[in-house]
Amino acid sequence: AQSVTQPDIHITVSEGASLELRCNYSYGATPYLFWYVQSPGQGLQLLLKYFSGDTLVQGIKGFEAEFKRSQSSFNLRKPSVHWSDAAEYFCAVGGYGGSQGNLIFGKGTKLSVKP
Amino acid sequence: EPEVTQTPSHQVTQMGQEVILRCVPISNHLYFYWYRQILGQKVEFLVSFYNNEISEKSEIFDDQFSVERPDGSNFTLKIRSTKLEDSAMYFCASRADSYEQYFGPGTRLTVT
């Protein structure tokens, strides 16, 4: 069965520091990959997506993610974190064979930003 | 920028009561979804809807749940007889032909 693993439940970084959030997926082929962000009490906002092609994808708010097929990973990065980036981040897989594109989410990584 | 909207933002109901959660997807989208997120847990898929019928549903989506697109704009999730464990945030999402889904702000359902 398809699954998504986000090994870090909670990460704290200092403002201005770089960030990498890890995501691994389990699937027999290359699925569609997504990162969503959820601020407290808010819905899910799409940060970026990977469908095919260039394995380094750029998203909103200065985020990027790199797809590595050999590692079944799709890690999210940002070179310099801002206090407003504090939120929960979800990696998701979708578009696998036979589905109507419903997403499977990881458990999320909560990001705290120190001043 | 078009967005998915959901009403109400918070619904409190007693166990055994029926609730209807409403969503207005983005107007040119064709695929519609409901997900739920129990407090502190991950977002879980409930059901997908396309061409006026359910296309896929999860094990969570049992006979107590139903979905409907009563007109050209609304998409509803009904829970017939709520249980305490139905307390969660319910998200509606929609998409066009591309697989990227756009989520609404959610409805927090509290069953007492």
Side-chain angles (χ1 to χ4, degrees):
Chain A
Q2 298 82 10
S3 66
V4 178
T5 302
Q6 293 180 249
D8 303 305
I9 297 172
H10 190 184
I11 284 182
T12 300
V13 300
S14 298
E15 191 168 14
S18 64
L19 170 71
E20 182 169 30
L21 302 182
R22 296 183 289 165
C23 172
N24 292 93
Y25 66 90
S26 171
Y27 179 59
T30 301
Y32 302 137
L33 297 159
F34 307 85
W35 275 99
Y36 284 85
V37 61
Q38 184 181 33
S39 297
Q42 303 297 310
L44 296 159
Q45 182 181 22
L46 180 65
L47 279 178
L48 47 75
K49 60 188 183 288
Y50 174 78
F51 290 166
S52 65
D54 193 346
T55 56
L56 184 64
V57 293
Q58 302 297 319
I60 61 171
K61 304 185 180 187
F63 285 92
E64 65 178 27
E66 186 172 14
F67 168 61
K68 292 186 178 179
R69 185 191 306 274
S70 61
Q71 299 176 18
S72 296
S73 70
F74 188 56
N75 294 348
L76 182 71
R77 301 195 294 247
K78 186 170 185 178
S80 177
V81 169
H82 188 263
W83 64 267
S84 60
D85 293 325
E88 190 149 22
Y89 293 79
F90 293 92
C91 181
V93 163
Y96 43 91
S99 82
Q100 286 293 333
N102 43 289
L103 299 175
I104 296 174
F105 285 84
K107 291 186 176 180
T109 298
K110 184 176 180 180
L111 173 66
S112 297
V113 180
K114 291 190 299 187
Chain B
E1 184 176 328
E3 58 183 20
V4 177
T5 60
Q6 290 185 244
T7 55
S9 56
H10 190 189
Q11 173 92 48
V12 181
T13 189
Q14 288 188 329
M15 197 167 49
Q17 295 298 302
E18 174 184 288
V19 294
I20 297 177
L21 310 182
R22 302 180 193 279
C23 168
V24 179
I26 295 173
S27 62
N28 64 338
H29 285 186
L30 303 173
Y31 300 83
F32 313 110
Y33 305 83
W34 284 101
Y35 294 82
R36 80 172 185 190
Q37 183 182 31
I38 295 172
L39 187 63
Q41 298 187 24
K42 66 179 179 180
V43 178
E44 301 173 288
F45 165 73
L46 291 178
V47 65
S48 59
F49 192 86
Y50 171 71
N51 202 23
N52 280 320
E53 60 182 23
I54 291 174
S55 45
E56 195 168 359
K57 59 184 180 180
S58 72
E59 293 176 351
I60 303 168
F61 194 88
D62 61 23
D63 292 343
Q64 293 298 311
F65 291 89
S66 62
V67 290
E68 193 176 40
R69 188 157 162 82
D71 53 43
S73 59
N74 290 282
F75 179 50
T76 63
L77 174 70
K78 182 193 292 187
I79 308 175
R80 288 191 186 82
S81 178
T82 50
K83 303 185 281 259
L84 293 176
E85 54 265 38
D86 293 328
S87 295
M89 182 75 93
Y90 288 81
F91 292 106
C92 172
S94 69
R95 69 172 177 93
D97 283 338
S98 162
Y99 277 102
E100 57 185 88
Q101 293 181 29
Y102 293 87
F103 284 75
T107 292
R108 179 165 298 285
L109 176 64
T110 302
V111 182
T112 62

